[in-house]
Amino acid sequence: MITGAASHSLSYTMLHYSSGAPEHNMSVNGQGEASARGTSMEGDCLICIKYLMFIFNFFIFLGGSFLLGVGIWVLVDPTGFREIVAANPLLFTGVYTILILGGMLFLLGFLGCCGAIRENKCLLLFFFMLILIIFLAELAVAILAFIFREHLTRDYFTKELKVHYHGTNSTDVFTSTWNAIMTTFDCCGVNSAEDFDDQSLFRRLNPSRLVPEVCCQRKNLMMSKEECLKGIMPIRIKGCYSAVVDYFETYIYMAGALAIVVLTVELFAMVFAMCLFRGIQ
């Protein structure tokens, strides 16, 4: 009887395990299929990120190449445009700004394109670090602009103009920059021509002149420069502070929106680069 009971118990146990085995196998198979689907979806996302990064950085590469080409052409142009740029401080600064910006975009686009299409972790890491440096630099500029905002007041510029401005024919960088501003924005002084009073450096260096030559409103060649300098001829009335503020006020909202878009794109580029970096085996 003992042998019979043991045999009955063993057969019951075997029946129990044999009936539960299919359920266990189905569970394992289900988990495997879910894992495979998850891996497949992850792979599809990485492929999507890879080609999005390539296309996006290809356009950045083209833009950087274009800016570099324009900057180099202006500097080496044999028709005399180089002399015009060298004579105007604003154009001179703008050309080198275009060259620097073009070089950065060229390098950024190259690293992003090659890193994405070749799935090169080293290039992707350099791409991420370069965007991070640019992002931090933009943040630093914004913080510095907020900290030193009191240096952008009308009184500050008026004081600097009276102390450092020499005259029209001066090669001083400060003076040349102000001459370019007054010519570009058709203005005179910070507030008006009265900024060049007897206490200003300009009047001490040029006692016979009331205003710099760039303040003259010469509508035709018959008007005498000397008459303007003595205050007989009409001079530009509007101050440069108001002229510059009015000019940039038109584009302030556009500039703000562009800055937000650029920062957002940089953030997404860093996220995509890091996702692709981590997904490469």
Side-chain angles (χ1 to χ4, degrees), residues 100-158:
I100 294 172
L101 182 60
M104 291 183 65
L105 290 177
F106 181 88
L107 179 60
L108 193 66
F110 174 79
L111 291 174
C113 280
C114 293
I117 204 67
R118 296 178 63 88
E119 297 184 1
N120 189 302
K121 299 184 76 170
C122 183
L123 292 178
L124 286 173
L125 184 60
F126 273 118
F127 174 80
F128 175 85
M129 294 301 297
L130 184 58
I131 293 186
L132 181 62
I133 291 171
I134 295 173
F135 183 83
L136 293 177
E138 292 168 347
L139 191 61
V141 168
I143 293 173
L144 289 174
F146 178 78
I147 294 174
F148 295 103
R149 64 189 184 280
E150 65 272 8
H151 289 174
L152 301 177
T153 62
R154 187 188 294 266
D155 293 339
Y156 175 80
F157 286 121
T158 303

Side-chain angles (χ1 to χ4, degrees), residues 42-227:
E42 184 179 350
D44 292 341
C45 288
L46 287 176
I47 292 174
C48 181
I49 291 174
K50 170 183 173 179
Y51 286 105
L52 280 176
M53 274 197 64
F54 175 79
I55 295 171
F56 172 74
N57 285 286
F58 180 71
F59 284 111
I60 291 180
F61 178 80
L62 290 179
S65 302
F66 174 77
L67 291 178
L68 271 178
V70 170
I72 293 172
W73 173 77
V74 169
L75 289 180
V76 302
D77 178 41
T79 60
F81 193 69
R82 178 174 53 188
E83 284 73 18
I84 298 174
V85 171
N88 191 321
L90 286 181
L91 287 177
F92 183 79
T93 304
V95 168
Y96 281 96
T97 301
I98 288 174
L99 278 173
I100 294 172
L101 182 60
M104 291 183 65
L105 290 177
F106 181 88
L107 179 60
L108 193 66
F110 174 79
L111 291 174
C113 280
C114 293
I117 204 67
R118 296 178 63 88
E119 297 184 1
N120 189 302
K121 299 184 76 170
C122 183
L123 292 178
L124 286 173
L125 184 60
F126 273 118
F127 174 80
F128 175 85
M129 294 301 297
L130 184 58
I131 293 186
L132 181 62
I133 291 171
I134 295 173
F135 183 83
L136 293 177
E138 292 168 347
L139 191 61
V141 168
I143 293 173
L144 289 174
F146 178 78
I147 294 174
F148 295 103
R149 64 189 184 280
E150 65 272 8
H151 289 174
L152 301 177
T153 62
R154 187 188 294 266
D155 293 339
Y156 175 80
F157 286 121
T158 303
K159 178 183 175 182
E160 292 294 304
L161 181 72
K162 289 185 176 183
V163 172
H164 299 294
Y165 183 81
H166 290 76
T168 304
N169 297 323
S170 174
T171 57
D172 175 64
V173 175
F174 180 89
T175 302
S176 300
T177 303
W178 264 104
N179 287 336
I181 292 172
M182 288 189 281
T183 302
T184 302
F185 293 97
D186 195 23
C187 55
C188 183
V190 177
N191 306 287
S192 66
E194 295 179 0
D195 291 336
F196 303 103
D197 54 20
D198 294 336
Q199 285 74 39
S200 65
L201 176 64
F202 168 77
R203 288 293 294 278
R204 292 200 299 271
L205 295 176
N206 307 275
S208 62
R209 298 183 175 186
L210 293 179
V211 293
E213 184 180 341
V214 291
C215 288
C216 296
Q217 286 184 333
R218 298 181 65 193
K219 297 181 180 178
N220 57 63
L221 296 177
M222 297 299 294
M223 293 183 176
S224 170
K225 179 180 71 174
E226 295 301 324
E227 289 180 350

